[in-house]
Amino acid sequence: ARDKVKMPMMITSATMVNGMREVLLNGSLTQEERDLLERYGATAKAYPMDVIDLLRRKLPSKPYLHEFLAESSLCPPEGPAPKKKDPTQQVRMDAVRAQLEEREYDRMTMDVRRRELNARESGEMSGVMSSMGEGLNILVAKGTAFAVGYFASMAGGVDPVWNTICGLFGPI
């Protein structure tokens, strides 16, 4: 199970480098331990925790772990390896991206053209509606003037011909 777990790497400190040199020169090491320490050596930028634990145990001073790691910090993990892009997939993605951009452009320009057409139509319709409103206003005003003249003449008499003539002179 320990082989599956990747131990964190610690950035080397002066204490670790000096400890590595001392253990390699003076320590009683098995061949396996010596191979492990020589694989990293005193010039490594970072040591895994199992190397640090081995150094700490083999040093004559037997420092505590927190003392040994005091000047060190965790080595940032390596990012994931970049994925290789399949050329056929890349071509397909470019085609889909171009198609989407074309649709978006068509949708944007269609909306602008529709607004332009709607503005023109509403401008024409507003002119027609305004003209109709003015004509209706004139007809209502003339009808009101006729009614005022007609009914005003009724105060003087009930002759329908005379009342109609007065009603016709009312709009003038």
Side-chain angles (χ1 to χ4, degrees), residues 14-112:
T15 308
M16 289 181 200
V17 172
N18 292 337
M20 175 70 84
R21 287 185 184 133
E22 186 177 337
V23 168
L24 283 174
L25 290 177
N26 304 328
S28 59
L29 300 169
T30 65
Q31 187 59 38
E32 183 180 323
E33 293 171 338
R34 184 169 294 284
D35 290 342
L36 176 66
L37 294 180
E38 286 177 351
R39 187 173 357 147
Y40 289 98
T43 59
K45 293 186 186 217
Y47 293 139
M49 284 302 291
D50 52 349
V51 170
I52 292 171
D53 188 46
L54 177 64
L55 287 175
R56 190 181 61 80
R57 283 186 286 119
K58 295 297 180 174
L59 280 171
S61 62
K62 304 262 187 236
Y64 290 107
L65 183 61
H66 73 276
E67 293 171 348
F68 205 61
L69 297 175
E71 299 168 6
S72 182
S73 64
L74 278 173
C75 187
E78 296 177 11
K83 295 181 180 178
K84 291 185 178 181
K85 296 181 180 178
D86 184 19
T88 58
Q89 186 72 9
Q90 190 65 29
V91 169
R92 183 173 177 269
M93 290 299 292
D94 290 342
V96 168
R97 190 174 295 118
Q99 185 180 16
L100 285 174
E101 288 175 359
E102 185 67 28
R103 279 187 197 164
E104 185 177 349
Y105 177 76
D106 288 344
R107 188 174 35 129
M108 288 187 319
T109 56
M110 180 178 62
D111 191 38
V112 170

Side-chain angles (χ1 to χ4, degrees), residues 4-5 21 34 43 59 63 113 118 128 130-131 139-140 167:
K4 294 179 183 177
V5 176
R21 287 185 184 133
R34 184 169 294 284
T43 59
L59 280 171
R113 183 72 179 144
N118 288 345
V128 170
S130 178
S131 299
L139 288 176
V140 170

Side-chain angles (χ1 to χ4, degrees), residues 156-171:
V158 187
D159 184 20
V161 175
W162 176 251
N163 292 345
T164 304
I165 292 171
C166 287
L168 289 174
F169 280 110

